């Protein structure tokens, strides 16, 4: 199997990050990596806060939050007046779950690609309401038409009160046709929450045209924002129904102010987030996307070749800009979440390589991410050493 040609590095891009040079950090998708310039912008905001905390919190903070929110919303094509800054996608999903009315006869529909913490939040919300969580299995890989058809068949008009669908699934790195799936759900007046945790900064998106009732995406993964920065976009009919997870002083102002203002929260990640977008645009977003997707594909190919994974078993992304790829691990490895975590830790400890290992569908999946600080030789070295490590690990 040919490994293909890796992309040329983007000049100077690696110097923008403080990643440990002794570690091959091939897992940007989990926690991102904040550019040095953004780190410094955030530190200046922390310094400003500590120089006069009362002034920072009491004079003009709301205006600065609104300015940031408008900046981030414009980047993803969302209505700024219907969007709110939240700490992460899971927090946004929990907010939505708490704002959708559920009765004991109701259900929330998720897929077997749902992110773990979102699935946990859904189960807790349904348990408290006496409602049901139902999971629809979606194959990997699958054509968009099949995905839409399977979700449509799983909907139960009158009972399904919310559909949660990933735009990019974390464990499987699959993309889903959220616009078409949302349209299918709306045929039965079923609202849709799109988990877009990996979308901002990786894929071009126009939230307003997606039709989603709720859309939430992290900016601290692929958009170079400090960790703790995400945007929740809510369609007009739902905005008055949104209730914050914690009540604070802006409660009477309603959404989005009631959600965003949380007293003595550290707002420096949000306020520094536009610097992350500036960094991305300075590098050239089209160039970054092309580089990252090509490098992720290269990494997937060389690792799969080393593990003797047939070409036909490699999931191919529907979107060419995808910067995450998965490689199926040998049968019997990492088949449960604890086993997957243990293997991930072992790879980190023994090879000084950071990856993501997930258990999905009874199979271990190695997920590789690519970012501008990565180099092809990191994937080459990993591919050379991984087979022996897995052989020894199974003994």
């Amino acid at each position: 199997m040919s490994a293909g040609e890796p992309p040329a590095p983007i000049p100077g891009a690696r110097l923008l990050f403080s990643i440990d040079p002794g570690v091959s950090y091939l897992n940007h998708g989990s926690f991102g990596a904040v550019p040095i310039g953004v780190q410094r912008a955030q530190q200046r905001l922390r310094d400003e806060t500590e120089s006069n905390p009362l002034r920072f919190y009491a004079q003009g903070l709301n205006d600065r939050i609104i300015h940031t929110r408008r900046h981030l919303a414009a980047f993803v094509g969302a209505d700024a007046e219907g969007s709110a800054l939240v700490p992460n996608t899971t927090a946004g999903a929990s907010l939505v779950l708490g704002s959708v009315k559920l009765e004991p006869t109701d259900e929330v529909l998720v897929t077997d690609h749902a992110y773990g913490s979102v699935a946990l939040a859904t189960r807790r919300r349904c348990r408290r309401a006496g409602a049901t969580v139902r999971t629809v299995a979606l194959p990997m890989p699958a054509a968009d038409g099949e995905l839409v058809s399977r979700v449509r068949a799983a909907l139960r008009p009158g009972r399904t009160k919310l559909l949660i669908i990933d735009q990019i699934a974390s464990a499987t790195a699959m993309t889903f046709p959220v616009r078409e799936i949302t349209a299918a759900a709306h045929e039965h007046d079923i609202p849709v929450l799109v988990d877009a945790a990996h979308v901002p900064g990786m894929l071009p998106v126009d939230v307003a045209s997606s039709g989603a009732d709720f859309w939430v995406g992290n900016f601290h993964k692929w958009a170079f924002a400090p960790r703790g920065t995400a945007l929740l976009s809510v369609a007009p009919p739902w905005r008055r129904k949104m209730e914050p997870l914690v009540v604070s002083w802006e409660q009477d102002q309603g959404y989005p102010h009631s959600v965003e203002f949380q007293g003595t929260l550290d707002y420096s990640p949000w306020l520094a987030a536009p610097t992350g977008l500036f960094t991305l645009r300075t590098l050239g977003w089209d160039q970054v996307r092309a580089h990252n997707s090509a490098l992720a594909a290269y990494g997937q190919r060389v690792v799969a070749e080393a593990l003797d994974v047939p070409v036909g078993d490699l999931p191919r992304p529907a979107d060419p800009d995808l910067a995450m790829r998965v490689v199926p691990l040998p049968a019997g490895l990492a088949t449960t979440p604890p086993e997957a975590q243990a293997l991930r830790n072992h790879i980190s400890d023994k090879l000084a390589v950071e990856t993501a290992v997930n258990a999905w569908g009874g199979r271990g999946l190695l997920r590789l991410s690519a970012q501008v600080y990565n180099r092809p030789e990191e994937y080459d070295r990993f591919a050379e050493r991984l087979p022996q490590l897995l052989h020894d690990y199974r003994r």
Side-chain angles (χ1 to χ4, degrees):
M1 177 172 66
S2 172
E5 292 298 322
I10 297 177
R14 191 166 191 170
L15 300 176
L16 299 177
F17 294 84
S18 52
I19 295 291
D20 183 350
V23 173
S24 290
Y25 200 82
L26 310 182
N27 190 18
H28 186 88
S30 284
F31 296 101
V34 183
I36 295 170
V38 183
Q39 295 177 39
R40 291 173 176 168
Q42 184 181 13
Q43 187 57 50
R44 287 194 294 271
L45 287 160
R46 288 172 172 153
D47 293 342
E48 178 190 347
T49 304
E50 297 309 322
S51 69
N52 191 331
L54 182 60
R55 176 180 292 273
F56 180 85
Y57 283 99
Q59 297 186 26
L61 177 58
N62 280 349
D63 289 341
R64 295 171 78 173
I65 293 173
I66 291 170
H67 174 78
T68 297
R69 185 213 312 149
R70 288 174 176 168
H71 198 93
L72 303 193
F75 182 72
V76 294
D79 177 7
E81 303 310 309
S83 301
L85 295 169
V86 293
N88 51 50
T89 297
T90 302
S94 293
L95 196 152
V96 171
L97 286 163
S99 302
V100 173
K101 184 178 179 181
L102 293 176
E103 301 291 346
T105 57
D106 297 335
E107 69 175 25
V108 176
L109 183 65
V110 300
T111 80
D112 58 347
H113 296 256
Y115 187 62
S117 62
V118 173
L120 287 170
T122 304
R123 288 198 289 270
R124 187 184 74 166
R125 174 70 178 99
C126 288
R127 183 171 63 250
R128 289 180 172 180
T132 301
V133 181
R134 194 159 55 85
T135 302
V136 54
L138 300 178
M140 179 185 71
D144 284 356
E146 181 179 3
L147 295 172
V148 175
S149 178
R150 285 179 179 249
V151 173
R152 177 184 278 114
L155 298 170
R156 294 178 179 176
R159 290 195 60 184
T160 306
K161 297 302 180 181
L162 180 68
L163 166 64
I164 302 178
I165 190 76
D166 291 82
Q167 192 159 355
I168 304 173
S170 178
T172 60
M174 269 184 62
T175 57
F176 293 85
V178 295
R179 184 179 303 179
E180 292 80 3
I181 289 174
T182 296
H186 285 178
E187 293 172 5
H188 306 289
D189 296 322
I190 296 171
V192 178
L193 164 61
V194 174
D195 179 343
H198 289 276
V199 172
M202 188 196 294
L203 301 182
V205 62
D206 183 54
V207 174
S209 67
S210 71
D213 302 271
F214 314 99
W215 183 100
V216 59
N218 292 324
F219 277 72
H220 55 243
K221 291 182 183 285
W222 301 92
F224 296 159
R227 278 169 286 279
T229 306
L231 188 77
L232 170 66
S233 179
V234 177
W238 289 95
R239 293 172 188 173
R240 290 189 177 183
K241 301 176 183 179
M242 302 305 293
E243 291 291 342
L245 300 176
V246 178
V247 173
S248 194
W249 287 102
E250 294 294 318
Q251 175 67 15
D252 291 341
Q253 300 301 315
Y255 179 86
H257 306 287
S258 60
V259 168
E260 291 175 328
F261 189 81
Q262 295 292 311
T264 54
L265 184 75
D266 179 7
Y267 296 96
S268 64
W270 296 356
L271 301 184
T275 307
L277 292 182
F278 175 80
T279 304
L280 186 61
R281 288 173 170 137
T282 299
L283 287 171
W285 191 29
D286 290 343
Q287 187 178 4
V288 168
R289 293 202 314 273
H291 171 275
N292 291 349
S293 60
L295 188 55
Y298 176 80
Q300 181 193 43
R301 291 177 181 180
V302 295
V303 172
E305 183 178 47
L307 297 181
D308 294 323
V309 178
V311 176
D313 290 351
L314 287 179
R316 304 294 181 183
D319 196 303
D321 286 326
L322 203 68
M324 297 193 304
R325 304 291 181 98
V326 297
V327 177
L329 290 169
L333 276 177
T335 59
T336 67
E339 291 175 358
Q341 181 65 27
L343 179 57
R344 190 211 71 80
N345 292 342
H346 189 71
I347 291 172
S348 175
D349 293 341
K350 298 299 183 181
L351 301 184
V353 176
E354 297 295 351
T355 64
V357 180
N358 296 292
W360 184 84
R363 186 78 182 265
L365 297 177
L366 176 72
R367 192 191 74 195
L368 300 171
S369 300
Q371 190 47 271
V372 294
Y373 51 76
N374 292 131
R375 293 290 182 268
E377 54 266 27
E378 294 180 285
Y379 298 90
D380 293 336
R381 288 195 301 267
F382 183 45
E384 291 171 3
R385 302 172 66 193
L386 182 61
Q388 186 63 50
L389 178 138
L390 295 181
H391 177 269
D392 295 341
Y393 188 76
R394 300 183 70 171
R395 293 175 61 182

